């Protein structure tokens, strides 16, 4: 009797979950076989164009600059190299086309963030480019390009991490042999500030703390994870507010033992009491880098994830196990508030020729499921995406995947993992046509409207099929700057909604409350998705200020 009842309840629960979509699956599509460069860094802008770039110091790319433009730079031997190829492109998502861009200084292994006005500010790089600040203001007419200032930074920044701040500045943290941070733009003192934590987490020779994982906490402080340790940092006062416990196992997770991390979706509540949780997944065990470098032994990557509530009185890492090990995986927040883990390898580390056994299957992580059933393995790609690959979320819900070049130069033949110039998309199963009847389309407001903090905003949408009013929610996502398996500035807020009502035939309105402060959502452009039974609409862009 009881067991029958339980069976009925379980069956009902299972059927709800199936009807509500997003089981295993996902679909890969080749978008462009050759974009001319290997997309090492990517950023989506508010006009649905993606800026991609690689590096400028290895010779010719596979894409010519327009109008016979060229660049000359000195080689190591002092002779002049003439290069008439592009090392950066703008990808137009709607037309699936690229446009070559011109850059003079080397932005290899650099970092960046989009400013509140929507322009991409990218910082640092290599050699002559290591102090540069480069600005790309989006345009719709194909006339915009990089503007460079070679002396925009105080310190050289190579493998640093940037985070946009509530006051509209960026903080630029660390970089190779830089145990300090600085701000852009400069206000007041043009100095950099010491951050001993970066010195303490630096393994001499290996430097296992590059591209630290940085998140803006809901209290305005910064959560910083480097190597195998993490702190909460008050950048106003230059003090460590708290030190978190070690992740069990103590293995490194930062470059070159590259794991990845996200700030899990922030669920807005009345009074803006918001819980913040960080999830760190994968990486390479202690000694992997030395083993790969010295003896060509490629150690299995880590298959563990650690999750921590960063504002609890006694925060503890809760460990979980991925379906397979992964180093150099990317973690992306999807519009339905799940996490996609994609790309990378199951052995070795980041660095030239040091990854092995590509992981072709992405996995989905559902933060709201029970710990035993959070992961779902997705369909595989055919293309290994190893060192120097990248991935970002697009406004239509697809995931853009590009890059991969573990070689010092472009190398297409006779090597493991040839240089990849292709662009693919991964469409999570929520884009499957079988869910079209559930998919919302946003009717109003129009894209690129301005909104304020703590405001009520009505959003109108249509859905072809029957709407489950209590299964509609609205998510707001900041587009990330992705490189080296970390998506800087990635942030997802599940907005508080007040009511859903019918306003016409197949037309509905949901009223949401925008976040209360810049600590929750620094000002700038975000994508807004209406999500119905886990199926997201296409995004509109809003500028919160
Ligand atoms: C890139 O250019 C090189 C040199 O011109 C050529 O050998 C190679 O086949 C090209 N690769 C692709 C994928 O187009
Ligand atoms: C292109 O658009 C920008 C504004 O986005 C404008 O400043 C510029 O003058 C335009 N250029 C051309 C050639 O139309
Ligand atoms: C480049 O940046 C530096 C440091 O912020 C600034 O002093 C200088 O004026 C900038 N140069 C240009 C041409 O904008
Ligand atoms: C990696 O190997 C190279 C050449 O064998 C050596 O010069 C370098 O010091 C090694 N690096 C590390 C971190 O072991
Ligand atoms: C963290 O990494 C450091 C540097 O490699 C190492 O000395 C330390 O033992 C690690 N911590 C733990 C708890 O394993």
């Amino acid at each position: 009797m009881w067991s029958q009842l339980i069976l009925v309840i379980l069956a009902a629960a299972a059927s709800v979950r199936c009807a509500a979509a997003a089981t295993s699956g996902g679909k890969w599509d080749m978008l462009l076989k050759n974009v001319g460069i290997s997309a090492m860094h990517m950023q989506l802008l508010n006009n649905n164009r993606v800026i991609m770039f690689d590096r400028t110091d290895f010779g010719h790319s596979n894409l010519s600059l327009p109008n016979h433009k060229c660049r000359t730079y000195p080689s190591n031997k002092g002779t002049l190299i003439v290069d008439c190829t592009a090392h950066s492109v703008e990808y137009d998502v709607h037309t699936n086309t690229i446009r070559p861009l011109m850059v003079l200084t080397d932005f290899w292994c650099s970092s960046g963030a989009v400013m509140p006005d929507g322009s991409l500010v990218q910082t640092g790089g290599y050699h002559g480019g290591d102090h540069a600040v480069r600005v790309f203001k989006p345009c719709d007419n194909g006339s915009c390009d990089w503007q460079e200032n070679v002396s925009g930074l105080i310190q050289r920044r190579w493998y640093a991490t940037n985070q946009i701040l509530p006051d509209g500045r960026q903080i630029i943290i660390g970089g190779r042999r830089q145990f300090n941070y600085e701000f852009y733009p400069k206000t007041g003192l043009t100095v950099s500030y010491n951050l001993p934590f970066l010195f303490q987490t630096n393994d001499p020779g290996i430097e296992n703390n590059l591209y630290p994982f940085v998140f803006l906490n809901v209290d305005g402080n910064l959560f910083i994870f480097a190597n195998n340790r993490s702190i909460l940092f008050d950048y106003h006062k230059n003090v460590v507010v708290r030190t978190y416990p070690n992740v069990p196992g103590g293995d490194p997770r930062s470059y070159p033992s590259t794991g990845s991390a996200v700030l899990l979706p922030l669920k807005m509540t009345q009074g803006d009491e918001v819980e913040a949780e960080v999830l760190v997944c994968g990486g390479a065990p202690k000694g992997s880098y030395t083993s790969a470098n010295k003896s060509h032994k490629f150690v299995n990557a880590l298959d563990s994830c650690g999750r921590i509530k960063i504002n609890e009185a006694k925060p503890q890492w809760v460990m979980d196990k991925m379906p397979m090990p992964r180093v150099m995986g990317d973690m992306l927040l999807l519009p339905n508030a799940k996490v996609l883990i994609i790309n990378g390898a199951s052995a070795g580390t980041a660095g030239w020729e040091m990854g092995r056994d590509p992981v072709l299957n992405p996995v989905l992580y559902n933060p709201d499921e029970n710990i035993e059933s959070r992961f779902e393995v997705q369909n595989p790609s055919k293309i290994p995406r190893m060192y120097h690959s990248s991935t970002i979320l697009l406004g239509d819900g697809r995931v853009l995947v590009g890059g991969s070049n573990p070689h010092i130069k472009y190398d297409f033949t006779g090597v493991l993992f040839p240089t990849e110039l292709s662009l693919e998309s991964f469409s999570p199963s929520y884009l499957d046509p079988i869910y079209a009847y559930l998919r919302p389309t946003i009717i109003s407001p129009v894209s690129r409207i301005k909104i304020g903090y703590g405001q009520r905003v009505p959003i109108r949408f249509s859905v072809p099929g029957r709407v489950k009013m209590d299964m509609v929610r609205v998510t707001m996502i900041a587009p990330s700057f992705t490189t080296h398996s970390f998506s800087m500035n990635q942030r997802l807020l599940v907005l508080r909604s007040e009511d859903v009502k019918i306003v016409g035939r197949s037309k509905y309105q949901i009223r949401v409350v925008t976040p209360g402060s810049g600590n929750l959502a620094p000002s700038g452009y975000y994508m807004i998705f209406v999500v119905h039974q886990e199926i997201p609409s296409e995004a509109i862009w809003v500028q919160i200020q």
Side-chain angles (χ1 to χ4, degrees):
M1 170 76 180
W2 276 114
S3 61
Q4 264 174 355
L5 186 58
I6 288 167
L7 272 182
V8 170
I9 292 168
L10 283 179
S15 74
V16 166
R17 201 176 303 145
C18 291
T23 51
S24 70
K27 180 168 157 279
W28 287 89
D29 289 294
M30 176 58 71
L31 299 176
L32 291 170
K33 282 213 172 96
N34 185 352
V35 296
I37 68 161
S38 194
M40 190 189 301
H41 314 73
M42 288 203 217
Q43 171 77 56
L44 175 68
L45 301 177
N46 65 59
N47 56 2
N48 295 312
R49 289 163 206 237
V50 180
I51 303 304
M52 303 175 186
F53 57 93
D54 188 347
R55 48 188 288 218
T56 61
D57 64 338
F58 66 93
H60 298 174
S61 76
N62 279 56
L63 180 68
S64 297
L65 284 165
N67 309 322
H68 309 289
K69 275 194 271 188
C70 298
R71 176 176 70 92
T72 53
Y73 62 99
S75 74
N76 292 339
K77 298 182 186 100
T79 54
L80 274 190
I81 295 176
V82 180
D83 182 358
C84 307
T85 63
H87 299 282
S88 175
V89 300
E90 181 194 65
Y91 171 67
D92 184 333
V93 177
H94 290 314
T95 58
N96 194 36
T97 55
I98 53 140
R99 177 168 76 88
L101 301 175
M102 178 73 163
V103 77
L104 295 171
T105 59
D106 198 2
F107 40 22
W108 179 30
C109 298
S110 61
S111 47
V114 173
M115 300 303 277
D117 72 352
S119 50
L120 168 60
V121 168
Q122 175 278 334
T123 58
Y126 190 57
H127 275 173
D130 60 7
H131 284 77
V133 173
R134 306 173 189 82
V135 180
F136 189 95
K137 284 193 203 314
C139 68
D140 295 335
N141 58 13
S143 70
C144 43
D145 212 328
W146 289 103
Q147 297 160 23
E148 297 176 64
N149 179 344
V150 291
S151 50
L153 295 179
I154 294 164
Q155 307 292 351
R156 63 191 286 258
R157 301 284 170 192
W158 199 32
Y159 301 89
T161 296
N162 297 21
Q163 169 69 51
I164 193 81
L165 298 172
D167 64 11
R169 290 180 302 166
Q170 296 189 22
I171 187 168
I172 305 149
I173 300 180
R176 193 151 183 238
R177 293 180 195 148
Q178 296 298 336
F179 313 118
N180 57 60
Y181 60 94
E182 62 184 282
F183 298 94
Y184 178 88
K186 308 285 179 225
T187 49
L189 295 175
T190 50
V191 293
S192 65
Y193 304 85
N194 287 337
L195 181 52
F197 173 71
L198 293 177
F199 182 74
Q200 291 151 10
T201 50
N202 179 56
D203 289 338
I206 304 175
E207 302 172 310
N208 245 324
N209 65 350
L210 299 177
Y211 281 124
F213 307 139
V214 177
F215 301 109
L216 175 67
N217 189 10
V218 294
D219 67 359
N221 292 314
L222 296 174
F223 175 91
I224 307 177
F225 186 109
N227 193 342
N228 57 7
R229 291 177 49 192
S230 48
I231 55 168
L232 189 64
F233 184 65
D234 178 343
Y235 63 87
H236 291 291
K237 301 194 184 121
N238 190 14
V239 293
V240 174
V241 180
R242 69 196 303 183
T243 299
Y244 293 97
N246 285 320
V247 184
D251 288 309
R253 309 267 178 175
S254 314
Y255 178 93
S257 301
T258 308
S260 192
V262 288
L263 178 66
L264 287 173
L266 299 170
K267 294 177 181 155
M268 299 297 109
T269 59
Q270 195 140 24
D272 283 339
E273 289 289 323
V274 180
E275 185 160 81
E277 281 187 271
V278 168
L279 177 71
V280 178
C281 290
K286 271 180 220 148
S288 300
Y289 184 85
T290 314
S291 168
N293 191 37
K294 290 230 163 82
S295 45
H296 276 256
K297 290 212 172 65
F298 304 95
V299 176
N300 278 348
L302 298 173
D303 64 0
S304 61
C305 296
R307 176 166 163 175
I308 192 168
K309 293 183 172 158
I310 63 176
N311 296 318
E312 284 207 327
K314 286 210 166 86
Q316 288 299 326
W317 291 96
V318 178
M319 301 307 286
D320 202 348
K321 201 163 142 40
M322 294 188 283
M324 67 278 268
R326 198 181 298 252
V327 60
M328 296 182 281
D330 282 273
M331 291 171 73
L332 281 188
L333 298 168
L334 298 180
N336 61 359
K338 292 182 180 167
V339 183
L340 183 71
I341 309 177
I342 189 168
N343 299 343
S346 57
T349 74
W352 303 129
E353 319 291 346
M354 287 209 256
R356 290 294 182 279
D357 306 332
V359 187
L360 299 174
N361 294 84
V363 301
L364 267 182
Y365 174 88
N366 185 349
D368 298 326
E369 269 291 348
N370 294 328
I371 193 150
E372 315 79 51
S373 44
R374 288 188 182 143
F375 290 103
E376 263 177 39
V377 179
Q378 303 293 293
N379 290 326
S381 163
K382 294 192 181 69
I383 302 177
R385 299 287 177 178
M386 308 292 278
Y387 187 42
H388 288 158
S389 60
S390 65
T391 182
I392 54 166
L393 174 71
L394 298 176
D396 57 18
R398 287 178 303 161
V399 167
L400 187 66
V401 177
S404 185
N405 183 22
H407 320 294
I408 292 181
K409 293 186 181 304
Y410 280 8
D411 232 329
F412 301 102
T413 49
V415 285
L416 276 175
F417 319 120
T419 303
E420 262 310 323
L421 306 180
S422 67
L423 264 192
E424 285 177 290
S425 65
F426 176 73
S427 299
S429 58
Y430 57 57
L431 290 172
D432 194 310
I434 61 170
Y435 302 121
Y437 74 105
L438 295 175
R439 190 175 324 284
T441 302
I442 298 179
I443 302 169
S444 69
V446 293
S447 207
R448 295 203 241 183
I449 59 142
K450 290 180 166 52
I451 57 173
Y453 286 102
Q455 246 182 14
R456 292 191 161 75
V457 177
I459 298 175
R460 291 198 169 193
F461 61 96
S462 63
V463 176
R466 203 161 63 87
V467 168
K468 288 204 172 125
M469 300 295 230
D470 59 346
M471 291 186 79
V472 179
R473 55 183 179 162
V474 174
T475 55
M476 176 169 153
I477 306 185
S480 63
F481 180 95
T482 302
T483 190
H484 289 75
S485 306
F486 184 55
S487 288
M488 303 173 195
N489 295 292
Q490 181 171 225
R491 200 173 189 80
L492 187 155
L493 297 96
V494 181
L495 298 184
R496 189 158 66 84
S497 51
E498 289 191 326
D499 65 336
V500 193
K501 61 183 187 198
I502 302 177
V503 291
R505 195 157 161 260
S506 302
K507 292 198 173 107
Y508 306 85
Q509 175 176 296
I510 183 166
R511 197 171 57 181
V512 294
V513 184
T514 62
S517 77
N519 287 352
L520 296 173
S523 70
Y525 284 88
Y526 291 77
M527 293 178 270
I528 286 216
F529 295 89
V530 173
V531 184
H532 172 225
Q533 297 190 58
E534 305 295 310
I535 307 298
S537 67
E538 266 195 35
I540 56 165
W541 288 92
V542 298
Q543 187 186 20
I544 190 164
Q545 56 182 26

